[in-house]
Amino acid sequence: MASVPRIQLNDGHSIPQLGFGVFKVDPDETTRIVSDALEVGYRHIDTARIYGNEAGVGAAIAESGLQREELFITTKLWNDDHSRALDAFDASLERLGLDYVDLYLIHWPSPKDDRYVEAWQSLEQLRESGRARSIGVSNFLVGHLERLLAETDVVPAVDQIELHPAHQQPATTAFAEEHGIAIEAWSPLGQGKYPLFELPEVAGAAATHGKSPAQVVIRWHLQRGHIVFPKSNRRARMAENFDVFDFELSEAEMGAITALEREGRVGSHPDD
Ligand code: NAD
């Protein structure tokens, strides 16, 4: 089984660069799907309270027989919990059946509520307690990050943002790099909402390397240094998305895919 590279975080911990995401995975099917992912070889699972499937993730972990230290588990604080983050975290841990998570994120800044600084201070306490080994944010743009850096003590370990070839968020990634914040790319395949896989830059590289277009896009992320967790309910695709460590895109192939930027957001805007 391929060994997945780890990315060093700014707090001394490290994270497997390739994981498995469970957004829109039906709670009733989650245990089967995450069990498949663990059997395929994934050891990093990305869930969230709002996905409603933390309990299914926890059941798959319990059934797997894997040691807790072999796994990297992320969950997230939902917007309506910013003022009660400690309780929300306890509830997530209980649903997961774990006594710590590897990474806890503020899911969205939700600026209309203006409570993300308060939420972050609670996450700082959770990190201090060791029950969240690392803490980070998601969907934070430069302004939100600047405010955290100015008003709180701990620099987020990661920022999990929408990022795929059509939407690369150069301002946020540059700011994150400058401050030692690792980038997690959500919807790394653009959720299949635009014809990414048919584009000649992607399909051509796939043909050259004898790989699929999805594998080429995942490889592009890995070579850019992003942490990714593509989602699929199908075991064959989980295996395909994991089988990305036996080829390398050339500089020209990387450049051609990077040039596909078109501000093509598929999810919500963080300010909304
Ligand atoms: P994704 O980009 O991973 O796309 C998933 C879809 O791509 C699948 O449903 C399937 O239709 C298709 N697909 C997957 N593998 C394929 C393959 N090998 N060949 C062809 N098609 C394939 O989208 P996602 O699920 O939105 O993002 C991945 C993860 O990111 C989520 O599961 C979640 O963990 C995280 N996420 C976080 C946020 C956030 O706000 N923090 C938002 C969205 C997603």
Side-chain angles (χ1 to χ4, degrees), residues 21 23 46 138-139 160 186-187 189 191 229 231 240-241:
F23 177 46
D46 183 90
S138 176
N139 298 300
Q160 181 179 128
W186 66 251
S187 296
L189 303 174
Q191 289 179 354
F229 21 83
K231 172 245 164 188
E240 177 183 326
N241 296 346

Side-chain angles (χ1 to χ4, degrees), residues 20-25 45-48 51 76 78 105-108 137-139 160-164 184-193 197 212-215 218 228-234 236-238 240-241 266-267:
F20 184 75
V22 294
F23 177 46
K24 291 192 180 153
V25 172
I45 308 292
D46 183 90
T47 183
Y51 302 167
K76 314 186 190 88
W78 188 241
L105 305 180
I106 300 180
H107 204 145
W108 293 88
V137 294
S138 176
N139 298 300
Q160 181 179 128
I161 54 175
E162 178 180 343
L163 203 170
H164 42 79
E184 297 195 323
W186 66 251
S187 296
L189 303 174
Q191 289 179 354
K193 281 190 183 167
F197 295 158
S212 72
Q215 288 171 320
I218 294 167
V228 283
F229 21 83
K231 172 245 164 188
S232 177
N233 289 350
R234 304 191 209 169
R237 281 183 171 174
M238 294 175 199
E240 177 183 326
N241 296 346
V266 299

